[in-house]
Amino acid sequence: MDWPTAIMCGALGGCVIEAIAFYGNVSAWQAERRELLARPREDRPLPTLRARIDIPADSLVLLTRLALGALAGALFHSQVIGMTAAVAVGASAPGLLRQLGTTRTVQEAVREPEPARETTPTAQRPPPPGPAPAPTPVPDTPGALLPPVPGEVPAE
């Protein structure tokens, strides 16, 4: 799929998800109003739509979803075959990009390379400061097992 089509379909996918979230808020508002209207004895005011929808915050979320959907469409344009798949990539953009960011190769590419350290062979390494650990006694009886080392799983 070409870049512009993948970007537009990805953005459309982000818009679809935000439309579903908007529908959920409007449905909850409608249900709350109907519940209050079913009990006419109560003098509570009916909830307003602004109680369920925050225009500045919801607009920012919409723009973010559009941008993430477009970015996902651009990143996955060569793997996407049809328009429906491109819309699905855009709809799942936050999860896809989060998963892509947690893969080991991406993390290694983003991290700065560590400077090379000089290593000394184990035999020539100086002993750590403090008292020397006591040697593990070897049992005299054949077939006896040594006590397990802390953090090691004993053999069965």
Side-chain angles (χ1 to χ4, degrees):
M1 175 173 284
D2 62 336
W3 283 77
T5 306
I7 289 172
M8 292 302 293
C9 289
L12 178 64
C15 187
V16 166
I17 292 300
E18 191 55 31
I20 291 169
F22 180 79
Y23 171 75
N25 288 335
V26 171
S27 292
W29 171 69
Q30 179 190 32
E32 189 176 353
R33 287 180 60 92
R34 284 188 178 170
E35 183 181 325
L36 288 175
L37 287 172
R39 294 184 256 162
R41 292 183 221 137
E42 296 182 15
D43 291 334
R44 289 191 304 180
L46 294 175
T48 63
L49 185 58
R50 289 188 79 80
R52 291 281 180 179
I53 297 173
D54 182 12
I55 293 174
D58 290 342
S59 299
L60 186 59
V61 169
L62 173 65
L63 290 175
T64 304
R65 285 197 187 271
L66 286 171
L68 287 175
L71 178 65
L75 286 175
F76 294 104
H77 80 281
S78 61
Q79 286 83 20
V80 176
I81 295 174
M83 291 180 82
T84 306
V87 170
V89 164
S92 60
L96 281 173
L97 295 175
R98 185 180 316 114
Q99 186 175 4
L100 180 67
T102 58
T103 59
R104 188 173 184 94
T105 55
V106 172
Q107 287 177 350
E108 290 172 358
V110 172
R111 264 192 233 140
E112 293 182 19
E114 294 182 16
R117 294 185 212 158
E118 287 187 32
T119 58
T120 56
T122 308
Q124 296 177 358
R125 212 175 272 163
T136 305
V138 179
D140 292 334
T141 56
L145 297 175
L146 293 174
V149 177
E152 186 176 85
V153 178
E156 293 181 23

